[in-house]
Amino acid sequence: MGIRLYYTTVTASREVKSQQSEIIRFLEGKSIPFELIDISVGGAVREEMRNKAGNPAAAPPQLFNEDQYCGDYSMFSEALEGNTVEQFLKLA
């Protein structure tokens, strides 16, 4: 599929919801195909995300290109500000 966004539908954090929404709006706005993977469906999915990210405390949102780790929201935000999102997402 390409870009994979690990996110959660179960959070009380407005910050996390806002971050996830911003990433989704960006990807949709640029017509970049992506797959949403909801970590709230089970611990195995959360552990998969953390293992792939190489961080046992990783929290959503986390971005990957296939199984290649791109980064978290703060890294996405930096790439957005620097106009380097395509490189960040490993599309260029």
Side-chain angles (χ1 to χ4, degrees):
M1 150 74 33
I3 302 302
R4 293 182 174 153
L5 173 61
Y6 283 80
Y7 79 119
T8 184
T9 54
V10 181
T11 181
S13 169
R14 286 184 180 200
E15 183 179 10
V16 169
K17 287 178 185 177
S18 173
Q19 291 173 351
Q20 293 176 161
S21 293
E22 184 178 343
I23 293 170
I24 291 168
R25 274 193 310 274
F26 176 84
L27 294 171
E28 288 176 343
K30 295 289 186 182
S31 299
I32 298 171
F34 65 97
E35 175 184 4
L36 290 171
I37 301 170
D38 187 358
I39 68 161
S40 67
V41 298
V45 179
R46 182 175 49 252
E47 288 309 310
E48 172 187 292
M49 173 193 74
R50 290 177 172 169
N51 287 337
K52 288 180 181 179
N55 178 353
Q62 298 286 331
L63 286 152
F64 296 81
N65 187 330
E66 294 296 336
D67 288 332
Q68 222 181 354
Y69 184 57
C70 297
D72 60 11
Y73 175 78
S74 65
M75 296 164 79
F76 169 80
S77 182
E78 285 177 28
L80 197 56
E81 286 179 28
N83 203 25
T84 58
V85 177
E86 286 191 1
Q87 292 89 339
F88 166 76
L89 293 174
K90 303 177 186 338
L91 297 172

